[in-house]
Amino acid sequence: MSRTQLERARAGETTPAMDRVAERENREAETVRTAVADGEAVIPANHAHEALDPMVIGADFATKVNANIGASEDASDPAGELEKLHTAVHHGADTVMDLSTGGPLAEIRGSILDHSPVPVGTVPIYEAVTRAESPEALTTDLLLEVIREQAEQGVDYMTIHAGVLMEHLPLTDGRITGIVSRGGSILAEWMEAHGEQNPLYVAFDEICEVLREHDVTVSLGDGLRPGSVADASDAAQFAELETLGELTERAQSAGVQVMVEGPGHVPLDQVAANVERQREVCDGAPFYVLGPLVTDIAPGYDHITSAIGATEAARAGAAMLCYVTPKEHLGLPDADDVRDGLAAYRIAAHAADVANGLPGARDWDDALSSARYEFDWRRQFDLALDPERARDFHDQTLPGDNYKEARFCSMCGVEFCSMRIDQDAREGDGEMTRTATEIDLDASPAAATNRPPVGTHDTERLPAWPPDPVDAMHGSAEGNGEADD
């Protein structure tokens, strides 16, 4: 039986995945191996996910961003999910989660795995409920069957809500928003109906056997996370966290890589304390946070309310951020929402890495600032987090090529451009020193996620996207050969 990245790291082995991760992080492979062996980092890499370009999640590495995609009963289809996937990867998603609850689930998931160079996560209880047709009809055998099938298909990590226990449910009484996690609410309904303990908790050792066989990383779900700032840091949330600490130890003892999911709505002043508490209770296992949203007043703008909390969470030690799109709480996101959500979260992740002093993280900022001061518009666009958006906004008012050489933009105009005035003053009498400095990003020690372009992955093993109509008719599945998907 193949061993997991955790087992091989603990045995002193540096795997090819660790070597690739070290290359992308600009770190020594031994540093990666030690972090994985200590349970402080994970490399989600199912043996069956052949298109994967390995990456690492851990507080000592560059902050990662996950993008949720997935079809519902009312919207999307396999082609629509592939469009979301490629939008997510192009704009810098480090992982994606397929949260589909409608449509041909296995087909959608298989297509995503075939086309994804980044790790793919799922929440198996969603498919289990779809098959059972109601939460009450769930069985342990069905849950294990779905987990096994998804593992065999190539899923790299799975959210398992095993920490929601019967004794925790009364602690949610009095909350404004009750239980907002899908998995948490499904399991609460099942426990209320059957008067029995959470089947995922009872069968956790059996689940770990399946995950270990395929090297699926377990993402311990926060089924009792707060759904409003009023419910943050309450007894229910922290009772579940204590159970997640126990499950972390059990899973790692079984050879399974572990990360732990964190709260969704938390006031800004409580974010860092939540991260520090998780890291202590779960012995440094990577913390994967949704948001958190720091205020509840802005439906339609929750990519902003959550990116504020995400920056603080990553600064405090969260290893991966789950993006929130403008559609949060309102509807199923489309490709444009995926783009906007990822932009907000790539900014949050990068800002935290700069604040935490990760080697070279600020070099990207300095390079873009230098291009801006020099009025090198083309380089400024190329260095932008979203080059297409930056170029489009500039060209809406000054579209001609001659304006790519101009020493002003439409905000200030030529007469009131402060940087032009500053340059002229410095060059006029020579009393002020020229400030521009060339930044060599190729020599930067920054991790790949902290250097442009975002969305750079090895895609050699992927089918072409979008497929060529002629090739599609003949069933071609050649790799697209591009490094920037």
Side-chain angles (χ1 to χ4, degrees):
M1 179 183 293
S2 299
R3 294 179 298 163
T4 66
Q5 296 290 330
L6 175 60
E7 290 172 320
R8 296 169 75 179
R10 286 179 168 175
E13 179 183 354
T14 300
T15 66
M18 295 172 199
D19 285 331
R20 173 57 177 156
V21 162
E23 177 186 359
R24 299 181 73 181
E25 295 287 326
N26 243 323
R27 307 289 284 277
E28 295 295 327
E30 177 61 18
T31 300
V32 176
R33 187 202 66 77
T34 299
V36 173
D38 291 343
E40 295 179 356
V42 296
I43 301 176
N46 189 315
H47 305 310
H49 189 180
E50 296 179 358
L52 181 68
D53 188 10
M55 51 79 71
V56 68
I57 301 167
D60 291 336
F61 301 96
T63 304
K64 302 308 189 297
V65 175
N66 170 69
N68 289 338
I69 60 176
S72 72
E73 291 180 339
D74 301 317
S76 201
D77 54 30
E81 294 314 309
L82 283 185
E83 181 184 6
K84 291 181 196 175
L85 168 68
H86 284 271
T87 299
V89 172
H90 177 75
H91 290 284
D94 298 295
T95 77
V96 296
M97 290 199 77
D98 173 21
L99 304 186
S100 295
T101 56
L105 299 181
E107 178 186 345
I108 290 172
R109 187 168 53 248
S111 183
I112 289 172
L113 285 162
D114 287 344
H115 287 81
S116 180
V118 303
V120 175
T122 61
V123 187
I125 198 170
Y126 296 172
E127 181 172 359
V129 169
T130 300
R131 292 194 197 178
E133 299 184 348
S134 73
E136 296 93 334
L138 281 173
T139 65
T140 301
D141 286 345
L142 177 58
L143 288 164
L144 286 167
E145 178 182 327
V146 170
I147 291 169
R148 185 174 293 106
E149 289 177 3
Q150 293 192 5
E152 291 172 350
Q153 199 170 12
V155 170
D156 300 291
Y157 66 97
M158 296 183 191
T159 295
I160 304 294
H161 295 93
V164 182
L165 304 184
M166 286 186 68
E167 52 267 38
H168 298 159
L169 301 185
L171 299 176
T172 64
D173 294 346
R175 279 184 164 188
I176 287 181
T177 48
I179 300 174
V180 299
S181 158
R182 288 184 194 172
S185 63
I186 289 167
L187 289 163
E189 184 174 350
W190 187 94
M191 287 186 280
E192 288 286 337
H194 293 272
E196 298 177 14
Q197 188 58 277
N198 180 349
L200 293 175
Y201 179 81
V202 174
F204 190 70
D205 292 338
E206 294 174 75
I207 293 169
C208 285
E209 289 178 12
V210 176
L211 301 184
R212 178 190 172 279
E213 180 181 354
H214 301 275
D215 200 0
V216 177
T217 297
V218 64
S219 186
L220 294 172
D222 53 340
L224 299 182
R225 68 175 179 266
S228 57
V229 294
D231 296 340
S233 306
D234 69 355
Q237 177 191 332
F238 288 146
E240 181 185 25
L241 179 59
E242 292 296 324
T243 306
L244 298 184
E246 170 208 329
L247 296 173
T248 296
E249 183 177 357
R250 287 170 60 183
Q252 290 176 343
S253 296
V256 176
Q257 299 185 88
V258 181
M259 57 184 174
V260 179
E261 298 184 14
H265 294 242
V266 181
L268 186 59
D269 62 304
Q270 298 178 27
V271 171
N274 267 263
V275 175
E276 291 160 6
R277 185 164 183 163
Q278 180 276 338
R279 288 176 57 76
E280 180 179 351
V281 171
C282 300
D283 197 26
F287 199 19
Y288 167 30
V289 299
L290 172 66
L293 288 75
V294 296
T295 180
D296 301 329
I297 64 168
Y301 298 92
D302 278 335
H303 60 312
I304 299 173
T305 66
S306 62
I308 295 168
T311 306
E312 177 68 356
R315 189 197 63 79
M320 186 161 75
L321 311 173
C322 183
Y323 86 160
V324 172
T325 77
K327 288 275 182 64
E328 185 76 8
H329 303 115
L330 301 173
L332 189 70
D334 59 19
D336 288 338
D337 298 314
V338 170
R339 177 181 183 177
D340 289 345
L342 269 166
Y345 272 72
R346 284 257 59 100
I347 293 167
H350 181 77
D353 288 347
V354 171
N356 286 333
L358 262 66
R362 208 192 72 186
D363 289 349
W364 186 1
D365 301 73
D366 293 348
L368 195 146
S369 295
S370 177
R372 178 178 291 142
Y373 186 78
E374 294 294 331
F375 295 103
D376 189 340
W377 293 103
R378 292 181 177 85
R379 178 161 172 76
Q380 186 180 160
F381 299 151
D382 289 343
L383 290 174
L385 180 80
D386 186 339
E388 296 92 345
R389 178 70 55 86
R391 186 176 295 106
D392 177 60
F393 279 9
H394 173 271
D395 290 356
Q396 285 177 15
T397 49
L398 298 173
D401 282 347
N402 56 308
Y403 290 114
K404 304 299 189 297
E405 314 296 333
R407 298 174 67 207
F408 64 92
C409 71
S410 63
M411 174 176 281
C412 298
V414 64
E415 295 299 327
F416 289 92
C417 178
S418 58
M419 287 193 292
R420 182 199 60 76
I421 295 169
D422 181 74
Q423 284 183 10
D424 289 348
R426 291 177 187 278
E427 294 171 356
D429 55 20
E431 293 185 3
M432 292 192 296
T433 305
R434 182 76 176 186
T435 61
T437 303
E438 186 67 28
I439 308 297
D440 183 5
L441 283 179
D442 290 337
S444 173
T449 58
N450 276 320
R451 286 186 291 181
V454 297
T456 301
H457 307 280
D458 180 358
T459 60
E460 280 290 337
R461 290 161 292 186
L462 303 187
W465 180 266
D468 183 282
V470 175
D471 288 344
M473 289 177 60
H474 295 87
S476 174
E478 294 180 356
N480 60 23
E482 298 175 359
D484 183 10
D485 189 19

